[in-house]
Amino acid sequence: MFHLRCIACGEVYDRREVIYQCPRCSGLLEVVFDLSEISVTKAEIESRAFNLWRYRELMPVEDYTRVVSLNEGGTPLYRADTIAEEIGVKELYIKNEGANPTGSFKDRGMTVGVTKALELGATAVGCASTGNTSASLAAYAAKAGIKCLVLLPAGKIAIGKLAQALLHGAIVVGIKANFDVALKLVREICAKHNIYLLNSINPWRLEGQKSEAFEIADQLGFEAPDRVVVPVGNCGNISAIWKGFKEFHELGLIDELPVMTGIQAEGASPLVRAFKAGESSVTPEPKPETIATAIRIGAPVNAPKALLALKESRGIAESVTDEEIIEAQKLLARKLGVGVEPASAASVAGLKKLVEAGEIDRSERIVCVTTGHALKDPEIIFHRYEKPIEIEPSIEALEKVING
Ligand SMILES: *Cc1c(COP(=O)(O)O)cnc(C)c1O
Ligand SMILES: [Zn+2]
């Protein structure tokens, strides 16, 4: 079975308690499985459909036949030889999380999160979001038939994500402040009005997201890569992926563990600064700024978990500029045919920077996670890329164009 445990003071809590942080010390909670009770073989796993519920024994739900699912997970792992060559590494893969039902890895968290919400008797769910969390929660709440409230930093949301939250019928509220303020507000309203909170402070959500690790290992023939590179905002995903690898390792499904590498945008890089200074907690960035809206976060709530993941895996953290992010987005789009939103491209931009700096060995087997789909943020493409060409409707004018 499984229960909740505080990562700061170690206190344990029953899985049926509706808590998001340790009631004793406010520390972050994590879900702990008794792995000695779990026996699942590679052959059993391989006999099932390729989606998140392929790893059902490691998902903390009471009854997996009643989960709220949109068939999330099962995303492609592309071998990216052309990009590997460009960057100068031997073996590179792209785990394309944009291929999830609502276009980001958040769906992995929400299938478990919304299932837990129903198990705990909730009739409404809420979140603050830089965009993808709200898009995903709105869809899963719709599937579950419960109400959904989302708070967004007004005017700072990529248009595709906002459209999704509206499309799925969430109550969408723009807050005239940044994400960190919106998160504080939604935590208050959730506590006051019995709305179940599904930000990544919620430990159940991260359980769904750890399946990214299971899938990567599974797709590599039950082997961990040498390194996994992850874009980092609120620090939930990198922590979840590390937890997934640790559990597969403990169960004997993989023999090695990867090195975790977290990449932030330069204008929103509190984790990177804390990591480089060797600090055990982050100093919030009051005015986070980057075109990569999904990681424009100044006070990452899961930073303690991410710092632990970096420490345990002997990992590293680095930041990249917006220009480097766009360059990597272009590389993915034009050398691999994979369209990603800017935040996603941070992983590839970070890899390039770290390889050039000699911090990553060129002979490693590396997986870069791309977190969200290009159509989440079409405006960035219109602003940063070539404009469409308009001409008079004549063959001569058209020939002029194709002849350059
Ligand atoms: C949420 C998100 C991130 C950041 O993940 P964290 O768990 O907040 O660190 C990165 N990229 C995309 C596309 C996202 O939606
Ligand atoms: Zn505690």
PDB file of all heavy atoms in Angstrom, residues 104-106 130 132-133 161 200 205 209 231-238 294-295 297 341 343-344 371-372, ligand 1:
ATOM      1  N   SER A 104       0.552  18.418 -23.117  1.00  0.00           N
ATOM      2  CA  SER A 104       1.697  18.560 -22.212  1.00  0.00           C
ATOM      3  C   SER A 104       1.715  17.409 -21.206  1.00  0.00           C
ATOM      4  O   SER A 104       0.726  16.690 -21.039  1.00  0.00           O
ATOM      5  CB  SER A 104       1.655  19.896 -21.450  1.00  0.00           C
ATOM      6  OG  SER A 104       0.809  19.798 -20.316  1.00  0.00           O
ATOM      7  N   PHE A 105       2.848  17.276 -20.496  1.00  0.00           N
ATOM      8  CA  PHE A 105       2.989  16.201 -19.500  1.00  0.00           C
ATOM      9  C   PHE A 105       2.039  16.371 -18.325  1.00  0.00           C
ATOM     10  O   PHE A 105       1.857  15.453 -17.526  1.00  0.00           O
ATOM     11  CB  PHE A 105       4.430  16.128 -18.991  1.00  0.00           C
ATOM     12  CG  PHE A 105       4.817  17.288 -18.112  1.00  0.00           C
ATOM     13  CD1 PHE A 105       4.481  17.316 -16.764  1.00  0.00           C
ATOM     14  CD2 PHE A 105       5.499  18.373 -18.634  1.00  0.00           C
ATOM     15  CE1 PHE A 105       4.816  18.399 -15.951  1.00  0.00           C
ATOM     16  CE2 PHE A 105       5.844  19.456 -17.845  1.00  0.00           C
ATOM     17  CZ  PHE A 105       5.494  19.471 -16.499  1.00  0.00           C
ATOM     18  N   LYS A 106       1.427  17.557 -18.194  1.00  0.00           N
ATOM     19  CA  LYS A 106       0.523  17.801 -17.069  1.00  0.00           C
ATOM     20  C   LYS A 106      -0.604  16.761 -17.033  1.00  0.00           C
ATOM     21  O   LYS A 106      -1.142  16.467 -15.968  1.00  0.00           O
ATOM     22  CB  LYS A 106      -0.073  19.210 -17.154  1.00  0.00           C
ATOM     23  CG  LYS A 106       0.932  20.363 -17.117  1.00  0.00           C
ATOM     24  CD  LYS A 106       1.735  20.414 -15.837  1.00  0.00           C
ATOM     25  CE  LYS A 106       2.421  21.745 -15.561  1.00  0.00           C
ATOM     26  NZ  LYS A 106       3.445  22.141 -16.533  1.00  0.00           N
ATOM     27  N   THR A 130       0.456  28.598 -15.101  1.00  0.00           N
ATOM     28  CA  THR A 130       1.072  29.392 -16.161  1.00  0.00           C
ATOM     29  C   THR A 130       0.465  28.967 -17.496  1.00  0.00           C
ATOM     30  O   THR A 130       0.881  29.430 -18.534  1.00  0.00           O
ATOM     31  CB  THR A 130       2.600  29.171 -16.201  1.00  0.00           C
ATOM     32  OG1 THR A 130       2.845  27.778 -16.437  1.00  0.00           O
ATOM     33  CG2 THR A 130       3.255  29.580 -14.905  1.00  0.00           C
ATOM     34  N   ASN A 132      -0.522  25.380 -18.870  1.00  0.00           N
ATOM     35  CA  ASN A 132      -0.765  23.971 -19.182  1.00  0.00           C
ATOM     36  C   ASN A 132      -1.485  23.221 -18.075  1.00  0.00           C
ATOM     37  O   ASN A 132      -2.274  22.320 -18.339  1.00  0.00           O
ATOM     38  CB  ASN A 132       0.552  23.275 -19.517  1.00  0.00           C
ATOM     39  CG  ASN A 132       1.005  23.587 -20.923  1.00  0.00           C
ATOM     40  OD1 ASN A 132       0.182  23.821 -21.801  1.00  0.00           O
ATOM     41  ND2 ASN A 132       2.311  23.620 -21.141  1.00  0.00           N
ATOM     42  N   THR A 133      -1.210  23.580 -16.836  1.00  0.00           N
ATOM     43  CA  THR A 133      -1.917  22.940 -15.723  1.00  0.00           C
ATOM     44  C   THR A 133      -3.412  23.199 -15.854  1.00  0.00           C
ATOM     45  O   THR A 133      -4.233  22.293 -15.679  1.00  0.00           O
ATOM     46  CB  THR A 133      -1.384  23.477 -14.386  1.00  0.00           C
ATOM     47  OG1 THR A 133      -0.013  23.095 -14.269  1.00  0.00           O
ATOM     48  CG2 THR A 133      -2.151  22.924 -13.205  1.00  0.00           C
ATOM     49  N   LYS A 161      -3.256  27.714 -24.572  1.00  0.00           N
ATOM     50  CA  LYS A 161      -3.579  27.152 -23.255  1.00  0.00           C
ATOM     51  C   LYS A 161      -4.841  27.791 -22.689  1.00  0.00           C
ATOM     52  O   LYS A 161      -5.704  27.116 -22.128  1.00  0.00           O
ATOM     53  CB  LYS A 161      -2.407  27.382 -22.295  1.00  0.00           C
ATOM     54  CG  LYS A 161      -1.091  26.867 -22.854  1.00  0.00           C
ATOM     55  CD  LYS A 161       0.092  27.203 -21.945  1.00  0.00           C
ATOM     56  CE  LYS A 161       1.394  26.836 -22.640  1.00  0.00           C
ATOM     57  NZ  LYS A 161       2.582  27.106 -21.803  1.00  0.00           N
ATOM     58  N   SER A 200       1.125  21.618  -8.420  1.00  0.00           N
ATOM     59  CA  SER A 200       2.088  20.526  -8.244  1.00  0.00           C
ATOM     60  C   SER A 200       2.589  20.414  -6.808  1.00  0.00           C
ATOM     61  O   SER A 200       3.369  19.529  -6.485  1.00  0.00           O
ATOM     62  CB  SER A 200       3.249  20.619  -9.233  1.00  0.00           C
ATOM     63  OG  SER A 200       3.995  21.785  -9.038  1.00  0.00           O
ATOM     64  N   ARG A 205      -0.325  14.337  -7.846  1.00  0.00           N
ATOM     65  CA  ARG A 205      -0.079  14.697  -9.236  1.00  0.00           C
ATOM     66  C   ARG A 205       1.299  14.226  -9.691  1.00  0.00           C
ATOM     67  O   ARG A 205       1.477  13.704 -10.781  1.00  0.00           O
ATOM     68  CB  ARG A 205      -0.160  16.225  -9.379  1.00  0.00           C
ATOM     69  CG  ARG A 205      -1.273  16.675 -10.260  1.00  0.00           C
ATOM     70  CD  ARG A 205      -1.170  18.151 -10.498  1.00  0.00           C
ATOM     71  NE  ARG A 205      -0.052  18.489 -11.353  1.00  0.00           N
ATOM     72  CZ  ARG A 205       0.322  19.731 -11.636  1.00  0.00           C
ATOM     73  NH1 ARG A 205      -0.328  20.752 -11.102  1.00  0.00           N
ATOM     74  NH2 ARG A 205       1.328  19.965 -12.433  1.00  0.00           N
ATOM     75  N   GLN A 209       3.152  11.935 -12.895  1.00  0.00           N
ATOM     76  CA  GLN A 209       4.251  12.437 -13.723  1.00  0.00           C
ATOM     77  C   GLN A 209       5.505  11.558 -13.652  1.00  0.00           C
ATOM     78  O   GLN A 209       6.322  11.565 -14.569  1.00  0.00           O
ATOM     79  CB  GLN A 209       4.572  13.884 -13.336  1.00  0.00           C
ATOM     80  CG  GLN A 209       3.462  14.835 -13.774  1.00  0.00           C
ATOM     81  CD  GLN A 209       3.614  16.260 -13.265  1.00  0.00           C
ATOM     82  OE1 GLN A 209       2.624  16.923 -13.024  1.00  0.00           O
ATOM     83  NE2 GLN A 209       4.831  16.740 -13.086  1.00  0.00           N
ATOM     84  N   PRO A 231      13.218  20.655 -18.607  1.00  0.00           N
ATOM     85  CA  PRO A 231      12.933  22.072 -18.341  1.00  0.00           C
ATOM     86  C   PRO A 231      12.312  22.214 -16.950  1.00  0.00           C
ATOM     87  O   PRO A 231      11.481  21.388 -16.570  1.00  0.00           O
ATOM     88  CB  PRO A 231      11.897  22.447 -19.411  1.00  0.00           C
ATOM     89  CG  PRO A 231      11.916  21.342 -20.405  1.00  0.00           C
ATOM     90  CD  PRO A 231      12.354  20.119 -19.667  1.00  0.00           C
ATOM     91  N   VAL A 232      12.698  23.250 -16.219  1.00  0.00           N
ATOM     92  CA  VAL A 232      12.247  23.370 -14.829  1.00  0.00           C
ATOM     93  C   VAL A 232      11.555  24.708 -14.574  1.00  0.00           C
ATOM     94  O   VAL A 232      12.093  25.764 -14.894  1.00  0.00           O
ATOM     95  CB  VAL A 232      13.447  23.221 -13.865  1.00  0.00           C
ATOM     96  CG1 VAL A 232      13.041  23.552 -12.432  1.00  0.00           C
ATOM     97  CG2 VAL A 232      14.012  21.805 -13.935  1.00  0.00           C
ATOM     98  N   GLY A 233      10.357  24.633 -13.992  1.00  0.00           N
ATOM     99  CA  GLY A 233       9.637  25.832 -13.566  1.00  0.00           C
ATOM    100  C   GLY A 233       9.363  25.751 -12.082  1.00  0.00           C
ATOM    101  O   GLY A 233      10.118  26.232 -11.251  1.00  0.00           O
ATOM    102  N   ASN A 234       8.244  25.070 -11.742  1.00  0.00           N
ATOM    103  CA  ASN A 234       7.866  24.912 -10.343  1.00  0.00           C
ATOM    104  C   ASN A 234       8.573  23.728  -9.683  1.00  0.00           C
ATOM    105  O   ASN A 234       8.325  23.406  -8.530  1.00  0.00           O
ATOM    106  CB  ASN A 234       6.351  24.734 -10.258  1.00  0.00           C
ATOM    107  CG  ASN A 234       5.734  25.586  -9.178  1.00  0.00           C
ATOM    108  OD1 ASN A 234       6.440  26.197  -8.375  1.00  0.00           O
ATOM    109  ND2 ASN A 234       4.427  25.619  -9.133  1.00  0.00           N
ATOM    110  N   CYS A 235       9.435  23.061 -10.422  1.00  0.00           N
ATOM    111  CA  CYS A 235      10.302  21.987  -9.918  1.00  0.00           C
ATOM    112  C   CYS A 235       9.594  20.659  -9.650  1.00  0.00           C
ATOM    113  O   CYS A 235      10.188  19.753  -9.050  1.00  0.00           O
ATOM    114  CB  CYS A 235      11.059  22.409  -8.656  1.00  0.00           C
ATOM    115  SG  CYS A 235      12.233  23.742  -8.928  1.00  0.00           S
ATOM    116  N   GLY A 236       8.347  20.539 -10.048  1.00  0.00           N
ATOM    117  CA  GLY A 236       7.621  19.293  -9.799  1.00  0.00           C
ATOM    118  C   GLY A 236       8.061  18.170 -10.713  1.00  0.00           C
ATOM    119  O   GLY A 236       8.304  17.047 -10.269  1.00  0.00           O
ATOM    120  N   ASN A 237       8.178  18.477 -11.993  1.00  0.00           N
ATOM    121  CA  ASN A 237       8.399  17.416 -12.966  1.00  0.00           C
ATOM    122  C   ASN A 237       9.750  16.733 -12.801  1.00  0.00           C
ATOM    123  O   ASN A 237       9.843  15.511 -12.833  1.00  0.00           O
ATOM    124  CB  ASN A 237       8.245  17.974 -14.380  1.00  0.00           C
ATOM    125  CG  ASN A 237       7.868  16.905 -15.381  1.00  0.00           C
ATOM    126  OD1 ASN A 237       7.116  15.981 -15.056  1.00  0.00           O
ATOM    127  ND2 ASN A 237       8.390  17.014 -16.584  1.00  0.00           N
ATOM    128  N   ILE A 238      10.792  17.501 -12.610  1.00  0.00           N
ATOM    129  CA  ILE A 238      12.125  16.893 -12.461  1.00  0.00           C
ATOM    130  C   ILE A 238      12.160  16.000 -11.214  1.00  0.00           C
ATOM    131  O   ILE A 238      12.754  14.911 -11.220  1.00  0.00           O
ATOM    132  CB  ILE A 238      13.243  17.972 -12.436  1.00  0.00           C
ATOM    133  CG1 ILE A 238      14.617  17.297 -12.546  1.00  0.00           C
ATOM    134  CG2 ILE A 238      13.158  18.866 -11.204  1.00  0.00           C
ATOM    135  CD1 ILE A 238      15.773  18.271 -12.762  1.00  0.00           C
ATOM    136  N   ALA A 294       5.706  28.855 -19.638  1.00  0.00           N
ATOM    137  CA  ALA A 294       5.443  27.691 -18.780  1.00  0.00           C
ATOM    138  C   ALA A 294       6.456  27.568 -17.640  1.00  0.00           C
ATOM    139  O   ALA A 294       6.207  26.885 -16.649  1.00  0.00           O
ATOM    140  CB  ALA A 294       5.442  26.410 -19.606  1.00  0.00           C
ATOM    141  N   ILE A 295       7.594  28.220 -17.790  1.00  0.00           N
ATOM    142  CA  ILE A 295       8.597  28.155 -16.712  1.00  0.00           C
ATOM    143  C   ILE A 295       8.921  29.550 -16.173  1.00  0.00           C
ATOM    144  O   ILE A 295       9.980  29.781 -15.607  1.00  0.00           O
ATOM    145  CB  ILE A 295       9.880  27.409 -17.165  1.00  0.00           C
ATOM    146  CG1 ILE A 295      10.443  27.972 -18.474  1.00  0.00           C
ATOM    147  CG2 ILE A 295       9.602  25.920 -17.315  1.00  0.00           C
ATOM    148  CD1 ILE A 295      11.788  27.355 -18.885  1.00  0.00           C
ATOM    149  N   ILE A 297       8.494  31.234 -13.477  1.00  0.00           N
ATOM    150  CA  ILE A 297       8.114  31.040 -12.081  1.00  0.00           C
ATOM    151  C   ILE A 297       9.271  31.478 -11.194  1.00  0.00           C
ATOM    152  O   ILE A 297      10.412  31.046 -11.394  1.00  0.00           O
ATOM    153  CB  ILE A 297       7.748  29.557 -11.821  1.00  0.00           C
ATOM    154  CG1 ILE A 297       6.431  29.230 -12.550  1.00  0.00           C
ATOM    155  CG2 ILE A 297       7.634  29.263 -10.333  1.00  0.00           C
ATOM    156  CD1 ILE A 297       6.050  27.779 -12.537  1.00  0.00           C
ATOM    157  N   GLU A 341       6.630  23.992 -27.592  1.00  0.00           N
ATOM    158  CA  GLU A 341       6.533  25.360 -27.089  1.00  0.00           C
ATOM    159  C   GLU A 341       7.886  25.769 -26.484  1.00  0.00           C
ATOM    160  O   GLU A 341       8.716  24.906 -26.164  1.00  0.00           O
ATOM    161  CB  GLU A 341       5.400  25.490 -26.073  1.00  0.00           C
ATOM    162  CG  GLU A 341       5.606  24.709 -24.806  1.00  0.00           C
ATOM    163  CD  GLU A 341       4.609  25.136 -23.714  1.00  0.00           C
ATOM    164  OE1 GLU A 341       4.743  26.235 -23.142  1.00  0.00           O
ATOM    165  OE2 GLU A 341       3.709  24.347 -23.435  1.00  0.00           O
ATOM    166  N   ALA A 343       9.203  26.702 -23.586  1.00  0.00           N
ATOM    167  CA  ALA A 343       9.700  26.088 -22.345  1.00  0.00           C
ATOM    168  C   ALA A 343      10.300  24.714 -22.609  1.00  0.00           C
ATOM    169  O   ALA A 343      11.328  24.339 -22.022  1.00  0.00           O
ATOM    170  CB  ALA A 343       8.574  25.982 -21.312  1.00  0.00           C
ATOM    171  N   SER A 344       9.668  23.967 -23.492  1.00  0.00           N
ATOM    172  CA  SER A 344      10.122  22.609 -23.810  1.00  0.00           C
ATOM    173  C   SER A 344      11.507  22.594 -24.407  1.00  0.00           C
ATOM    174  O   SER A 344      12.304  21.696 -24.158  1.00  0.00           O
ATOM    175  CB  SER A 344       9.185  21.974 -24.822  1.00  0.00           C
ATOM    176  OG  SER A 344       7.859  22.082 -24.414  1.00  0.00           O
ATOM    177  N   THR A 371       8.399  19.263 -23.121  1.00  0.00           N
ATOM    178  CA  THR A 371       7.265  19.193 -22.200  1.00  0.00           C
ATOM    179  C   THR A 371       5.898  19.544 -22.781  1.00  0.00           C
ATOM    180  O   THR A 371       4.879  19.092 -22.290  1.00  0.00           O
ATOM    181  CB  THR A 371       7.569  20.100 -21.007  1.00  0.00           C
ATOM    182  OG1 THR A 371       8.154  21.314 -21.516  1.00  0.00           O
ATOM    183  CG2 THR A 371       8.537  19.460 -20.049  1.00  0.00           C
ATOM    184  N   GLY A 372       5.867  20.412 -23.828  1.00  0.00           N
ATOM    185  CA  GLY A 372       4.569  20.846 -24.345  1.00  0.00           C
ATOM    186  C   GLY A 372       4.589  21.117 -25.845  1.00  0.00           C
ATOM    187  O   GLY A 372       5.637  21.372 -26.446  1.00  0.00           O
TER     188      GLY A 372
HETATM  189  C1  LIG B   1       4.602  22.874 -16.305  1.00  0.00           C
HETATM  190  C2  LIG B   1       5.567  22.940 -17.411  1.00  0.00           C
HETATM  191  C3  LIG B   1       6.948  22.986 -17.191  1.00  0.00           C
HETATM  192  C4  LIG B   1       7.559  23.066 -15.827  1.00  0.00           C
HETATM  193  O1  LIG B   1       7.356  21.942 -15.033  1.00  0.00           O
HETATM  194  P1  LIG B   1       7.515  22.086 -13.446  1.00  0.00           P
HETATM  195  O2  LIG B   1       6.994  20.822 -12.897  1.00  0.00           O
HETATM  196  O3  LIG B   1       6.679  23.267 -13.063  1.00  0.00           O
HETATM  197  O4  LIG B   1       8.951  22.316 -13.172  1.00  0.00           O
HETATM  198  C5  LIG B   1       7.789  22.993 -18.278  1.00  0.00           C
HETATM  199  N1  LIG B   1       7.309  22.989 -19.545  1.00  0.00           N
HETATM  200  C6  LIG B   1       5.983  22.950 -19.794  1.00  0.00           C
HETATM  201  C7  LIG B   1       5.514  22.964 -21.205  1.00  0.00           C
HETATM  202  C8  LIG B   1       5.084  22.939 -18.744  1.00  0.00           C
HETATM  203  O5  LIG B   1       3.771  22.917 -19.007  1.00  0.00           O
END
